[in-house]
Amino acid sequence: MSRLSSTIDGWRSFDSFAAEGLISGLDPRTIILSALCTVIAMTGAGKGEVMVLLPLAAFPLTLLVLADIPPMWLVKRILPVLPFALMIGLLNPWLEQGTVTLPGGAEISTGWFTLASITLRALISAATALLLIASVGLLNISRGLAGLRVPALFITQLQMLFRYFFVIGEEFQRMERAWRLRSGSRRGRMPLKLAAQLLQNLFLRSLARAGRIHNAMLARGFSGEVPAGAPLHWRLRDTVWLAGWAGFALLCHSNLPMLLGTLLTGQPQ
Amino acid sequence: MSHHYLHFNSVSFTYPDGTKALSEVSFEMHHGERIGLIGANGAGKSTLLQLLAGFLVAQSGSIDLGGLKITPSTIAEVRRTLGFVFQDADDQLFMPTVFEDVAFGPANLGVEEPELTPLVMNTLNRTGIAHLAHRPPYHLSGGQKRAAAIATVLASTPSMLVLDEPANALDPMARRRIIEQLRGFTHSQLIASHDLDLVLDLCHRVVVLHEGKVAAVAPPMTVFKNKELLEHCGLLPPLRMQELPPEGPQLKVVEGHHHEAALHHHTAEK
């Protein structure tokens, strides 16, 4: 199996952790709202903030532990985000004029903090989004969104987009396998011209397949909305969870490390 | 029990590119009957099934199902009555788990908890795949996928099943299980298949399509014994009805091979 094919296979089992772990006992709305609190706290942090962002990594880490997801599973999936984040902030250490004096007395550009902040935001956001789907499951997220009065059209779009990704993936796997079997001595990299032709064919094939899947859905009474399933129940533990994370996000927004420093030393930091 | 039946009345359909797929197709199906739809590739089987499911609309003629004429305005009602099992089970199974896939149809029809879960589990038990309820469909074998696909339509309690190549790409055991299951259902069944042995095993009558027209409607044995008709329609009799050569190739197991049963032509050794 090629690396890309095995990657697609890996993504197919994306929300398979949803049935396991402690997270499955919580109302999906709780997790969505607490993730939202984390994201809001993150976006509210200043441009070069690093210390404010670091504690926010606690949220995805908690999801990881409670949903019993192997850490390497997450690492493999968020690493592709890293080059994009670095690309955005890579020039900041040279472009930014300001300097910061480190405890040892050395001076460095504020751009390094901006770069670290951008990278941290990207990693925490990606980890939160991935772990949200992995630990709660797309179907439960949809139920949660419906419970939060998000328009049905948006929810259906989200579900279809998620499924269409796998339709494309499956079609790609078949085509790639067919090419590999007949590629003779040209093993390894696919020629660019051929890749372009396959891409064109891939979209036609996946469109036809998506049409057949849509027909299968129509044949079973689909009328534009995926049924929400069992009604949701908000319990005390949901309130405790949400209040806890909302409070934590608020503390982080108010620079938790600085507050702790003040609290511990008795002196304003 | 209502007298559900299917009635194709002079149905014609031409694709936008001018390909005439069906021409004046007429036949009837009675409640509880199993009809095999056979014909060579391009005979019009798929078009006929798509018209029945309302994915295509006939340009002339009419299709009645249980006394209801199939039109764009009645199609939602028709689909409540009809359970359509697609040729490729992968097209039919799109939810994250088998349970959710089976629940999809009844949930769309308004079945809610606490009725939904017992209905789904009951259906999975009927098709013998209750133990696969929480497995992702893409992890199943071909036979399991087929059983899951059938479960997805049975859960909506249809009056009639439409099956497109139900034994396609199944191993002999899985094929046998599907045949036994279909035989056990009391639904009216329209089975489109190239597997004429399956049709012979299951169906009360056969509709033979040839170039978009009905070439014959008769019991399977009558059709399969009519060599002239089969030849005209580009078909061959079921394997079990084909005469074996009086001295066909004989096979023997070569001794001494413990890990693989090597079969050699007896004649080749001579």
Side-chain angles (χ1 to χ4, degrees):
Chain A
M1 191 187 278
S2 75
R3 217 175 65 180
L4 199 56
S5 288
S6 61
T7 306
I8 292 167
D9 265 354
W11 281 88
R12 288 177 76 165
S13 55
F14 198 73
D15 53 2
S16 59
F17 301 101
E20 298 153 20
L22 292 169
I23 297 291
S24 58
L26 289 167
D27 187 308
R29 288 172 293 185
T30 318
I31 317 288
I32 296 169
L33 289 174
S34 48
L36 197 64
C37 290
T38 305
V39 172
I40 290 172
M42 201 160 49
T43 50
K47 188 178 141 196
E49 287 288 358
V50 175
M51 296 310 284
V52 172
L53 295 175
L54 272 177
L56 288 171
F59 181 73
L61 285 176
T62 307
L63 289 184
L64 184 85
V65 173
L66 294 184
D68 211 9
I69 296 170
M72 279 316 288
W73 180 94
L74 178 67
V75 172
K76 274 186 199 168
R77 280 158 183 82
I78 59 167
L79 276 185
V81 173
L82 209 52
F84 295 102
L86 291 175
M87 205 165 66
I88 294 168
L90 201 60
L91 294 177
N92 283 55
W94 291 276
L95 293 177
E96 285 188 21
Q97 302 293 317
T99 56
V100 174
T101 309
L102 294 176
E107 282 194 348
I108 60 163
S109 162
T110 52
W112 286 108
F113 286 92
T114 310
L115 174 63
S117 178
I118 289 170
T119 310
L120 216 51
R121 278 171 216 261
L123 292 179
I124 295 173
S125 308
T128 302
L130 290 173
L131 290 168
L132 181 69
I133 300 174
S135 62
V136 181
L138 191 77
L139 214 63
N140 280 331
I141 289 179
S142 304
R143 289 170 62 205
L145 290 173
L148 293 169
R149 303 275 182 266
V150 172
L153 182 69
F154 173 77
I155 299 168
T156 308
Q157 285 288 329
L158 180 76
Q159 288 182 323
M160 295 298 142
L161 192 71
F162 189 71
R163 296 288 162 223
Y164 193 67
F165 171 77
F166 296 111
V167 170
I168 292 181
E170 283 166 18
E171 289 306 317
F172 176 79
Q173 267 179 309
R174 288 177 189 178
M175 287 172 62
E176 196 253 346
R177 220 172 276 155
W179 169 75
R180 204 160 283 283
L181 286 170
R182 286 184 286 154
S183 60
S185 58
R186 302 177 84 181
R187 294 201 175 273
R189 224 172 260 279
M190 188 181 284
L192 205 63
K193 192 180 168 192
L194 181 70
Q197 286 170 337
L198 288 189
L199 197 68
Q200 185 186 6
N201 200 6
L202 172 69
F203 282 108
L204 290 174
R205 282 172 64 131
S206 51
L207 194 68
R209 171 100 195 280
R212 293 199 299 276
I213 293 173
H214 184 235
N215 278 349
M217 293 171 82
L218 289 176
R220 284 195 275 154
F222 178 68
S223 56
E225 265 182 49
V226 178
L232 299 169
H233 298 290
W234 188 277
R235 298 183 181 91
L236 180 64
R237 60 184 172 212
D238 296 302
T239 310
V240 172
W241 171 280
L242 182 60
W245 283 112
F248 182 72
L250 197 66
L251 278 175
C252 291
H253 184 66
S254 325
N255 203 335
L256 180 65
M258 197 172 280
L259 286 176
L260 279 177
T262 308
L263 205 67
L264 291 173
T265 61
Q267 292 174 347
Q269 301 295 303
Chain B
M1 190 184 277
S2 63
H3 185 68
H4 271 112
Y5 70 96
L6 173 68
H7 186 193
F8 269 72
N9 186 18
S10 297
V11 173
S12 299
F13 183 83
T14 305
Y15 282 99
D17 66 357
T19 309
K20 202 167 177 67
L22 292 180
S23 177
E24 301 282 322
V25 168
S26 297
F27 69 92
E28 276 188 7
M29 180 179 187
H30 302 286
H31 192 86
E33 194 177 20
R34 282 192 295 266
I35 284 192
L37 187 63
I38 63 170
N41 290 330
K45 301 189 296 295
S46 297
T47 306
L48 191 146
L49 297 188
Q50 294 203 51
L51 286 166
L52 183 54
F55 301 137
L56 299 174
V57 180
Q59 281 124 359
S60 66
S62 64
I63 309 167
D64 296 324
L65 182 69
L68 193 69
K69 190 178 252 186
I70 301 179
T71 63
S73 59
T74 60
I75 200 60
E77 184 69 18
V78 166
R79 284 176 185 157
R80 282 173 180 266
T81 323
L82 206 68
F84 201 114
V85 181
F86 285 69
Q87 183 173 355
D88 187 350
D90 282 324
D91 291 343
Q92 185 126 10
L93 305 168
F94 47 81
M95 296 295 271
T97 65
V98 172
F99 182 94
E100 283 155 2
D101 230 316
V102 175
F104 181 83
N108 272 316
L109 297 178
V111 181
E112 291 177 355
E113 295 295 356
E115 287 83 24
L116 188 61
T117 298
L119 171 69
V120 173
M121 289 315 294
N122 188 26
T123 312
L124 290 172
N125 275 320
R126 272 175 81 189
T127 44
I129 52 165
H131 60 292
L132 305 172
H134 299 292
R135 292 264 301 273
Y138 55 86
H139 279 170
L140 308 181
S141 70
Q144 289 169 337
K145 277 183 188 174
R146 183 66 59 182
I150 291 174
T152 62
V153 300
L154 285 182
S156 304
T157 57
S159 305
M160 183 181 166
L161 292 179
V162 179
L163 301 113
D164 193 0
E165 295 289 358
N168 188 27
L170 294 186
D171 66 40
M173 286 300 285
R175 180 181 172 279
R176 177 55 50 192
R177 269 196 296 274
I178 290 294
I179 290 175
E180 292 306 328
Q181 267 182 9
L182 295 179
R183 192 178 279 137
F185 298 149
T186 52
H187 308 76
S188 310
Q189 293 172 35
L190 182 63
I191 303 168
S193 184
H194 286 298
D195 184 345
L196 301 189
D197 286 275
L198 175 139
V199 172
L200 185 61
D201 266 346
L202 272 176
C203 298
H204 302 115
R205 283 192 303 150
V206 171
V207 173
V208 187
L209 283 180
H210 178 56
E211 292 178 354
K213 292 179 181 160
V214 175
V217 181
M221 227 17 146
T222 313
V223 169
F224 296 144
K225 277 182 178 170
N226 189 336
K227 286 183 181 171
E228 201 178 321
L229 171 74
L230 292 179
E231 205 169 301
H232 172 69
C233 297
L235 296 167
L236 287 169
L239 280 173
R240 94 173 75 130
M241 287 178 68
Q242 289 178 23
E243 287 174 12
L244 288 171
E247 287 188 23
Q250 293 177 17
L251 305 171
K252 78 164 193 177
V253 177
V254 177
E255 287 177 11
H257 287 77
H258 299 291
H259 298 296
E260 41 186 88
L263 292 170
H264 285 257
H265 281 278
H266 187 57
T267 46
E269 282 183 1
K270 287 180 181 173

PDB file of all heavy atoms in Angstrom, chain A residues 48 50 89-90 92-94 96 98 107-119:
ATOM      1  N   GLY A  48       2.185  38.521  19.807  1.00  0.00           N
ATOM      2  CA  GLY A  48       3.401  37.776  20.134  1.00  0.00           C
ATOM      3  C   GLY A  48       3.279  36.971  21.418  1.00  0.00           C
ATOM      4  O   GLY A  48       4.278  36.541  21.984  1.00  0.00           O
ATOM      5  N   VAL A  50       2.933  34.101  23.953  1.00  0.00           N
ATOM      6  CA  VAL A  50       3.222  32.663  23.983  1.00  0.00           C
ATOM      7  C   VAL A  50       2.745  32.081  25.308  1.00  0.00           C
ATOM      8  O   VAL A  50       2.063  31.053  25.339  1.00  0.00           O
ATOM      9  CB  VAL A  50       4.736  32.410  23.806  1.00  0.00           C
ATOM     10  CG1 VAL A  50       5.061  30.929  23.966  1.00  0.00           C
ATOM     11  CG2 VAL A  50       5.195  32.881  22.431  1.00  0.00           C
ATOM     12  N   GLY A  89       4.982  32.666   9.494  1.00  0.00           N
ATOM     13  CA  GLY A  89       5.719  33.490  10.463  1.00  0.00           C
ATOM     14  C   GLY A  89       7.221  33.463  10.342  1.00  0.00           C
ATOM     15  O   GLY A  89       7.926  34.085  11.140  1.00  0.00           O
ATOM     16  N   LEU A  90       7.719  32.751   9.329  1.00  0.00           N
ATOM     17  CA  LEU A  90       9.168  32.518   9.230  1.00  0.00           C
ATOM     18  C   LEU A  90       9.999  33.805   9.111  1.00  0.00           C
ATOM     19  O   LEU A  90      11.110  33.892   9.648  1.00  0.00           O
ATOM     20  CB  LEU A  90       9.453  31.596   8.041  1.00  0.00           C
ATOM     21  CG  LEU A  90      10.780  30.861   8.095  1.00  0.00           C
ATOM     22  CD1 LEU A  90      10.861  29.976   9.326  1.00  0.00           C
ATOM     23  CD2 LEU A  90      10.971  30.015   6.848  1.00  0.00           C
ATOM     24  N   ASN A  92       9.176  36.772  10.256  1.00  0.00           N
ATOM     25  CA  ASN A  92       8.944  37.735  11.340  1.00  0.00           C
ATOM     26  C   ASN A  92      10.191  38.059  12.167  1.00  0.00           C
ATOM     27  O   ASN A  92      10.418  39.240  12.504  1.00  0.00           O
ATOM     28  CB  ASN A  92       7.820  37.256  12.253  1.00  0.00           C
ATOM     29  CG  ASN A  92       6.469  37.488  11.615  1.00  0.00           C
ATOM     30  OD1 ASN A  92       6.243  37.035  10.501  1.00  0.00           O
ATOM     31  ND2 ASN A  92       5.593  38.208  12.290  1.00  0.00           N
ATOM     32  N   PRO A  93      11.024  37.081  12.531  1.00  0.00           N
ATOM     33  CA  PRO A  93      12.225  37.434  13.328  1.00  0.00           C
ATOM     34  C   PRO A  93      13.104  38.456  12.632  1.00  0.00           C
ATOM     35  O   PRO A  93      13.841  39.196  13.302  1.00  0.00           O
ATOM     36  CB  PRO A  93      12.942  36.088  13.465  1.00  0.00           C
ATOM     37  CG  PRO A  93      11.877  35.058  13.328  1.00  0.00           C
ATOM     38  CD  PRO A  93      10.898  35.637  12.360  1.00  0.00           C
ATOM     39  N   TRP A  94      13.074  38.548  11.337  1.00  0.00           N
ATOM     40  CA  TRP A  94      13.920  39.505  10.614  1.00  0.00           C
ATOM     41  C   TRP A  94      13.168  40.783  10.248  1.00  0.00           C
ATOM     42  O   TRP A  94      13.741  41.837  10.121  1.00  0.00           O
ATOM     43  CB  TRP A  94      14.483  38.848   9.348  1.00  0.00           C
ATOM     44  CG  TRP A  94      15.470  37.780   9.721  1.00  0.00           C
ATOM     45  CD1 TRP A  94      16.792  37.948  10.013  1.00  0.00           C
ATOM     46  CD2 TRP A  94      15.190  36.389   9.904  1.00  0.00           C
ATOM     47  NE1 TRP A  94      17.362  36.754  10.359  1.00  0.00           N
ATOM     48  CE2 TRP A  94      16.409  35.780  10.297  1.00  0.00           C
ATOM     49  CE3 TRP A  94      14.057  35.599   9.788  1.00  0.00           C
ATOM     50  CZ2 TRP A  94      16.505  34.420  10.568  1.00  0.00           C
ATOM     51  CZ3 TRP A  94      14.154  34.256  10.047  1.00  0.00           C
ATOM     52  CH2 TRP A  94      15.368  33.661  10.438  1.00  0.00           C
ATOM     53  N   GLU A  96      10.467  42.106  11.998  1.00  0.00           N
ATOM     54  CA  GLU A  96      10.030  42.921  13.144  1.00  0.00           C
ATOM     55  C   GLU A  96      11.216  43.674  13.753  1.00  0.00           C
ATOM     56  O   GLU A  96      12.309  43.124  13.901  1.00  0.00           O
ATOM     57  CB  GLU A  96       9.355  42.034  14.195  1.00  0.00           C
ATOM     58  CG  GLU A  96       7.948  41.630  13.757  1.00  0.00           C
ATOM     59  CD  GLU A  96       7.177  40.906  14.843  1.00  0.00           C
ATOM     60  OE1 GLU A  96       7.523  41.050  16.032  1.00  0.00           O
ATOM     61  OE2 GLU A  96       6.230  40.187  14.480  1.00  0.00           O
ATOM     62  N   GLY A  98      11.239  45.364  16.836  1.00  0.00           N
ATOM     63  CA  GLY A  98      11.335  45.330  18.298  1.00  0.00           C
ATOM     64  C   GLY A  98      12.251  44.228  18.811  1.00  0.00           C
ATOM     65  O   GLY A  98      12.483  43.229  18.130  1.00  0.00           O
ATOM     66  N   GLU A 107      19.546  39.828  23.769  1.00  0.00           N
ATOM     67  CA  GLU A 107      18.396  40.477  23.108  1.00  0.00           C
ATOM     68  C   GLU A 107      18.016  39.700  21.853  1.00  0.00           C
ATOM     69  O   GLU A 107      18.894  39.347  21.048  1.00  0.00           O
ATOM     70  CB  GLU A 107      18.756  41.916  22.728  1.00  0.00           C
ATOM     71  CG  GLU A 107      18.702  42.854  23.900  1.00  0.00           C
ATOM     72  CD  GLU A 107      18.727  44.308  23.459  1.00  0.00           C
ATOM     73  OE1 GLU A 107      19.014  44.563  22.273  1.00  0.00           O
ATOM     74  OE2 GLU A 107      18.458  45.170  24.302  1.00  0.00           O
ATOM     75  N   ILE A 108      16.725  39.443  21.726  1.00  0.00           N
ATOM     76  CA  ILE A 108      16.267  38.780  20.484  1.00  0.00           C
ATOM     77  C   ILE A 108      15.093  39.555  19.911  1.00  0.00           C
ATOM     78  O   ILE A 108      14.429  40.317  20.628  1.00  0.00           O
ATOM     79  CB  ILE A 108      15.867  37.297  20.703  1.00  0.00           C
ATOM     80  CG1 ILE A 108      14.715  37.192  21.711  1.00  0.00           C
ATOM     81  CG2 ILE A 108      17.033  36.436  21.097  1.00  0.00           C
ATOM     82  CD1 ILE A 108      13.999  35.857  21.671  1.00  0.00           C
ATOM     83  N   SER A 109      14.857  39.337  18.630  1.00  0.00           N
ATOM     84  CA  SER A 109      13.769  40.037  17.943  1.00  0.00           C
ATOM     85  C   SER A 109      12.418  39.557  18.476  1.00  0.00           C
ATOM     86  O   SER A 109      12.248  38.364  18.790  1.00  0.00           O
ATOM     87  CB  SER A 109      13.859  39.753  16.437  1.00  0.00           C
ATOM     88  OG  SER A 109      12.636  40.062  15.815  1.00  0.00           O
ATOM     89  N   THR A 110      11.454  40.463  18.576  1.00  0.00           N
ATOM     90  CA  THR A 110      10.094  40.076  19.004  1.00  0.00           C
ATOM     91  C   THR A 110       9.464  39.129  17.980  1.00  0.00           C
ATOM     92  O   THR A 110       8.507  38.432  18.272  1.00  0.00           O
ATOM     93  CB  THR A 110       9.193  41.314  19.160  1.00  0.00           C
ATOM     94  OG1 THR A 110       9.273  42.070  17.943  1.00  0.00           O
ATOM     95  CG2 THR A 110       9.587  42.160  20.348  1.00  0.00           C
ATOM     96  N   GLY A 111      10.035  39.152  16.761  1.00  0.00           N
ATOM     97  CA  GLY A 111       9.535  38.281  15.691  1.00  0.00           C
ATOM     98  C   GLY A 111       9.590  36.802  16.059  1.00  0.00           C
ATOM     99  O   GLY A 111       8.758  36.014  15.597  1.00  0.00           O
ATOM    100  N   TRP A 112      10.577  36.446  16.906  1.00  0.00           N
ATOM    101  CA  TRP A 112      10.664  35.036  17.334  1.00  0.00           C
ATOM    102  C   TRP A 112       9.439  34.658  18.154  1.00  0.00           C
ATOM    103  O   TRP A 112       8.921  33.549  18.040  1.00  0.00           O
ATOM    104  CB  TRP A 112      11.943  34.796  18.152  1.00  0.00           C
ATOM    105  CG  TRP A 112      13.174  34.779  17.284  1.00  0.00           C
ATOM    106  CD1 TRP A 112      14.139  35.733  17.210  1.00  0.00           C
ATOM    107  CD2 TRP A 112      13.539  33.766  16.346  1.00  0.00           C
ATOM    108  NE1 TRP A 112      15.088  35.402  16.288  1.00  0.00           N
ATOM    109  CE2 TRP A 112      14.755  34.189  15.738  1.00  0.00           C
ATOM    110  CE3 TRP A 112      12.974  32.574  15.945  1.00  0.00           C
ATOM    111  CZ2 TRP A 112      15.400  33.436  14.764  1.00  0.00           C
ATOM    112  CZ3 TRP A 112      13.620  31.813  14.981  1.00  0.00           C
ATOM    113  CH2 TRP A 112      14.820  32.241  14.390  1.00  0.00           C
ATOM    114  N   PHE A 113       8.981  35.606  18.970  1.00  0.00           N
ATOM    115  CA  PHE A 113       7.777  35.336  19.773  1.00  0.00           C
ATOM    116  C   PHE A 113       6.540  35.253  18.885  1.00  0.00           C
ATOM    117  O   PHE A 113       5.652  34.441  19.111  1.00  0.00           O
ATOM    118  CB  PHE A 113       7.596  36.420  20.852  1.00  0.00           C
ATOM    119  CG  PHE A 113       8.586  36.271  21.969  1.00  0.00           C
ATOM    120  CD1 PHE A 113       9.790  36.941  21.933  1.00  0.00           C
ATOM    121  CD2 PHE A 113       8.321  35.420  23.032  1.00  0.00           C
ATOM    122  CE1 PHE A 113      10.729  36.790  22.956  1.00  0.00           C
ATOM    123  CE2 PHE A 113       9.251  35.263  24.058  1.00  0.00           C
ATOM    124  CZ  PHE A 113      10.457  35.948  24.011  1.00  0.00           C
ATOM    125  N   THR A 114       6.530  36.131  17.871  1.00  0.00           N
ATOM    126  CA  THR A 114       5.393  36.095  16.937  1.00  0.00           C
ATOM    127  C   THR A 114       5.360  34.749  16.219  1.00  0.00           C
ATOM    128  O   THR A 114       4.293  34.131  16.085  1.00  0.00           O
ATOM    129  CB  THR A 114       5.522  37.242  15.895  1.00  0.00           C
ATOM    130  OG1 THR A 114       5.758  38.447  16.601  1.00  0.00           O
ATOM    131  CG2 THR A 114       4.272  37.381  15.056  1.00  0.00           C
ATOM    132  N   LEU A 115       6.542  34.306  15.771  1.00  0.00           N
ATOM    133  CA  LEU A 115       6.622  33.012  15.076  1.00  0.00           C
ATOM    134  C   LEU A 115       6.154  31.875  15.996  1.00  0.00           C
ATOM    135  O   LEU A 115       5.345  31.025  15.597  1.00  0.00           O
ATOM    136  CB  LEU A 115       8.068  32.759  14.630  1.00  0.00           C
ATOM    137  CG  LEU A 115       8.359  31.387  14.020  1.00  0.00           C
ATOM    138  CD1 LEU A 115       7.583  31.183  12.731  1.00  0.00           C
ATOM    139  CD2 LEU A 115       9.853  31.209  13.749  1.00  0.00           C
ATOM    140  N   ALA A 116       6.630  31.911  17.242  1.00  0.00           N
ATOM    141  CA  ALA A 116       6.229  30.866  18.202  1.00  0.00           C
ATOM    142  C   ALA A 116       4.730  30.929  18.455  1.00  0.00           C
ATOM    143  O   ALA A 116       4.056  29.895  18.558  1.00  0.00           O
ATOM    144  CB  ALA A 116       6.994  31.042  19.499  1.00  0.00           C
ATOM    145  N   SER A 117       4.209  32.157  18.544  1.00  0.00           N
ATOM    146  CA  SER A 117       2.778  32.336  18.810  1.00  0.00           C
ATOM    147  C   SER A 117       1.929  31.789  17.652  1.00  0.00           C
ATOM    148  O   SER A 117       0.944  31.083  17.873  1.00  0.00           O
ATOM    149  CB  SER A 117       2.497  33.817  19.021  1.00  0.00           C
ATOM    150  OG  SER A 117       1.138  34.028  19.231  1.00  0.00           O
ATOM    151  N   ILE A 118       2.354  32.113  16.418  1.00  0.00           N
ATOM    152  CA  ILE A 118       1.607  31.629  15.235  1.00  0.00           C
ATOM    153  C   ILE A 118       1.626  30.096  15.201  1.00  0.00           C
ATOM    154  O   ILE A 118       0.605  29.442  14.991  1.00  0.00           O
ATOM    155  CB  ILE A 118       2.217  32.212  13.936  1.00  0.00           C
ATOM    156  CG1 ILE A 118       1.912  33.698  13.842  1.00  0.00           C
ATOM    157  CG2 ILE A 118       1.655  31.498  12.709  1.00  0.00           C
ATOM    158  CD1 ILE A 118       2.669  34.423  12.724  1.00  0.00           C
ATOM    159  N   THR A 119       2.806  29.532  15.446  1.00  0.00           N
ATOM    160  CA  THR A 119       2.945  28.072  15.411  1.00  0.00           C
ATOM    161  C   THR A 119       2.083  27.416  16.483  1.00  0.00           C
ATOM    162  O   THR A 119       1.370  26.439  16.222  1.00  0.00           O
ATOM    163  CB  THR A 119       4.428  27.676  15.622  1.00  0.00           C
ATOM    164  OG1 THR A 119       5.216  28.439  14.727  1.00  0.00           O
ATOM    165  CG2 THR A 119       4.662  26.207  15.370  1.00  0.00           C
TER     166      THR A 119
END
